Amino acid sequence: MFSKINYLKINTKPTSTMKKIILGAAVMFLMVSCQKDNSQEEVNAISKTEKENWLKADLNTEFASSQKQVTAYLFPTQELDKLVNTPNVEEVRFVLGYADNTIQIEVVGIDESGKKLGIVKSVVLKDISVQNNLVELKKLTVNTAKKRSLLLNEHILLPNYAFTWIDAWQEKLNTVSDLDEALSYEGTRFRYYSLEAAVVKEMTSKKSANVGLFLGLNQKGKVTTILVNLDKNNGIKKTSLTSKDTEDVYDATRPCPPNGDPDKP
């Protein structure tokens, strides 16, 4: 009986209908395999053209509508940690580009001379639930008793300020008023935001899933970059499950221009 069953299996040829079913299943498998777990996430590496496009992009209603859908730019903590711990990396730059009516951002590690030593791509997150959960920042505090370096204190941002600034940028996108002014210095559009690598190294030491970069509108009416540690669900990472304290939130406060040389690529 055993040999007979094997014989039948070996000599049974699939019908044309079976072939179609098998082929269809294979195609579906490939399609599903190629899809991201979250269709709202897009990995972006900024090309030279996209950087150039940013400098001349028309910040119109199409831009505002598209940008409003962006919740955050995610940087995997493990990759970011490797970058800031690369020998001689002294500074990181969050470089701006432009594609599909949307700002694109990547982070570049820079040595003391300005030489690029590595890049980490961002994942553009478009998730309204995460955006809604940002209101939690209004309820959270930071541990004021924690000892920090002067450098960290220089860039630290209170969580409620972070929420206010992020919300202000979203409101700005509703009116499409003076968007170019908010993203420029004396008529020259921001190229990147720079920050000491030591600040990012402090963030990556917390072993969060991602470091989220949020755009916000600061008290000077200028767009700035706000860095927040996020958990695996892209929620605000707290110091513990029951804590009212969040991990430190930082503002990368040095846009180029006026800081740095906008004429250097």
Side-chain angles (χ1 to χ4, degrees):
M1 178 64 73
F2 180 81
S3 60
K4 184 177 180 180
I5 293 174
N6 278 340
Y7 177 84
L8 289 173
K9 284 184 176 180
I10 293 170
N11 288 275
T12 300
K13 296 181 179 180
T15 65
S16 60
T17 302
M18 290 175 64
K19 288 180 179 179
K20 290 179 180 178
I21 292 173
I22 293 169
L23 179 61
V27 171
M28 287 298 295
F29 176 79
L30 289 173
M31 289 176 65
V32 171
S33 298
C34 291
Q35 289 177 345
K36 299 181 178 66
D37 293 337
N38 185 343
S39 61
Q40 298 299 312
E41 296 181 0
E42 301 171 2
V43 179
N44 289 286
I46 303 175
S47 67
K48 180 180 178 181
T49 300
E50 288 171 339
K51 293 173 187 176
E52 293 172 350
N53 287 344
W54 166 240
L55 301 180
K56 57 186 178 183
D58 186 3
L59 306 186
N60 53 21
T61 53
E62 289 184 348
F63 161 74
S65 177
S66 180
Q67 189 64 44
K68 194 167 177 61
Q69 297 177 42
V70 176
T71 304
Y73 299 85
L74 304 182
F75 294 96
T77 299
Q78 287 187 344
E79 293 183 31
L80 204 53
D81 190 61
K82 289 180 182 177
L83 178 68
V84 294
N85 282 288
T86 299
N88 301 321
V89 167
E90 298 291 332
E91 178 183 282
V92 294
R93 292 177 181 173
F94 298 96
V95 181
L96 306 183
Y98 192 76
D100 301 322
N101 294 314
T102 306
I103 294 172
Q104 311 295 320
I105 302 178
E106 67 184 12
V107 61
V108 180
I110 304 294
D111 69 8
E112 191 174 359
S113 68
K115 181 181 177 181
K116 297 177 183 178
L117 299 178
I119 296 174
V120 175
K121 305 172 186 178
S122 70
V123 174
V124 180
L125 180 68
K126 300 178 181 180
D127 189 337
I128 191 65
S129 64
V130 173
Q131 193 162 307
N132 291 337
N133 289 339
L134 286 175
V135 71
E136 187 177 14
L137 284 169
K138 295 172 66 176
K139 307 172 187 177
L140 297 175
T141 57
V142 293
N143 183 357
T144 55
K146 178 181 175 181
K147 292 184 178 180
R148 301 178 182 87
S149 67
L150 291 176
L151 175 62
L152 295 179
N153 283 329
E154 180 183 342
H155 290 285
I156 198 167
L157 187 64
L158 294 176
N160 62 323
Y161 272 54
F163 172 79
T164 299
W165 292 7
I166 294 168
D167 191 54
W169 172 236
Q170 287 293 316
E171 285 296 318
K172 189 77 170 176
L173 290 169
N174 285 332
T175 59
V176 198
S177 175
D178 301 324
L179 288 177
D180 198 61
E181 175 66 22
L183 283 155
S184 302
Y185 175 78
E186 295 184 352
T188 302
R189 195 162 288 174
F190 297 144
R191 263 79 161 175
Y192 58 80
Y193 295 85
S194 59
L195 183 66
E196 291 86 353
V199 177
V200 179
K201 192 178 296 187
E202 173 68 15
M203 295 194 75
T204 60
S205 71
K206 305 305 178 186
K207 306 301 180 185
S208 60
N210 292 299
V211 172
L213 184 151
F214 297 83
L215 296 179
L217 200 66
N218 63 23
Q219 293 163 322
K220 296 179 180 178
K222 298 293 185 180
V223 172
T224 189
T225 49
I226 298 167
L227 303 177
V228 183
N229 273 315
L230 303 176
D231 61 26
K232 63 181 181 180
N233 297 315
N234 293 321
I236 309 302
K237 190 174 186 298
K238 303 175 186 177
T239 53
S240 70
L241 291 176
T242 58
S243 176
K244 293 279 187 183
D245 288 340
T246 181
E247 297 291 358
D248 290 347
V249 176
Y250 294 98
D251 173 27
T253 54
R254 293 198 303 274
C256 173
N259 303 279
D261 188 349
D263 294 324
K264 287 185 177 181

